[in-house]
Amino acid sequence: MTEAGLCHCNGGGRPKDRLSIFVDGNNMFYAQQKNGWFFDPRKVLNYFTNDPNIMLINAFWYTGLKDSQDQRGFRDALISLGYTVRTKILKEYYDDSSGRFSQKANLDIEIVVDMFNTVDQYDRVILFSGDGDFERAIELLRSKNTHITVVSTEGMIARELRNATDRYIDLNDVRKDIEKSDY
């Protein structure tokens, strides 16, 4: 039941599972690059909501930007698909081990804050990330009877995260359903 007392039910009267999707865009960019193919954000939404017992509540996409105009067209496309897009400007830092400057935008805190700010709105979470930093957040969400699915790829999924989740899906196992076809 919702706060208004209305049941979001399928035809059989069973309440639908409410789903929220969280995409760690930077982490997924590297996972897709490693795999040699990219997924289509529209196909991701369609694939994970094709069950009539699932109702999409939220879809969030997090990404680092070089500047405020970076990826403007892509961000606008995500918004038009229904994603809430969160961004952060990349920070440059010096990597002592490689002797090079690198850029990074860590949006882990933003992802966790959104997960917990919306926790009463969903029953299921799909997290697209392999980052082990999410382990504790996932454990806490599971303690609230939330079903957690993590989507990543071998070699990029932290063991701690994989162990903390209810279900792990390798990107390559759903490639035929979510791959971007219009390069």
Side-chain angles (χ1 to χ4, degrees):
M1 295 291 205
T2 66
E3 291 82 359
L6 301 174
C7 181
H8 295 289
C9 300
N10 61 15
R14 178 182 166 273
K16 291 185 176 190
D17 284 339
R18 301 166 304 156
L19 173 68
S20 285
I21 297 173
F22 298 87
V23 180
D24 181 345
N26 295 345
N27 186 280
M28 285 296 98
F29 175 79
Y30 293 112
Q32 293 171 93
Q33 201 173 42
K34 176 186 184 296
N35 287 338
W37 62 274
F38 289 84
F39 61 73
D40 180 329
R42 178 189 318 267
K43 288 181 179 179
V44 165
L45 293 179
N46 291 341
Y47 179 77
F48 287 102
T49 60
N50 68 359
D51 181 334
N53 294 316
I54 299 286
M55 178 175 57
L56 182 66
I57 300 297
N58 293 307
F60 293 90
W61 194 289
Y62 304 83
T63 190
L65 304 175
K66 293 176 187 157
D67 59 55
S68 62
Q69 294 306 309
D70 187 27
Q71 303 179 41
R72 189 79 199 154
F74 180 63
R75 289 185 285 144
D76 289 346
L78 288 171
I79 291 166
S80 74
L81 291 171
Y83 286 92
T84 298
V85 179
R86 304 268 196 245
T87 63
K88 190 183 275 188
I89 299 297
L90 294 166
K91 294 185 179 167
E92 189 169 80
Y93 67 95
Y94 182 74
D95 182 351
D96 289 330
S97 61
S98 71
R100 297 186 201 152
F101 282 95
S102 298
Q103 291 184 325
K104 184 171 182 165
N106 190 334
L107 286 117
D108 295 356
I109 293 296
E110 288 79 0
I111 294 171
V112 171
V113 166
D114 284 338
M115 284 178 158
F116 282 92
N117 273 344
T118 60
V119 70
D120 293 334
Q121 298 174 19
Y122 58 77
D123 310 299
R124 296 179 165 274
V125 162
I126 298 175
L127 172 64
F128 280 77
S129 183
D131 192 333
D133 291 343
F134 291 113
E135 176 189 19
R136 184 65 180 135
I138 295 305
E139 289 172 351
L140 290 172
L141 288 172
R142 286 185 68 205
S143 74
K144 296 178 178 291
N145 294 322
T146 301
H147 184 277
I148 311 289
T149 299
V150 169
V151 181
S152 188
T153 199
E154 291 305 318
M156 297 203 64
I157 176 81
R159 185 181 72 250
E160 307 83 32
L161 181 60
R162 190 170 182 166
N163 290 342
T165 191
D166 291 300
R167 181 177 179 210
Y168 167 71
I169 298 175
D170 189 286
L171 280 169
N172 289 307
D173 292 342
V174 293
R175 178 177 182 171
K176 68 178 177 43
D177 298 302
I178 67 170
E179 184 174 11
K180 184 176 176 142
S181 53
D182 55 342
Y183 291 102

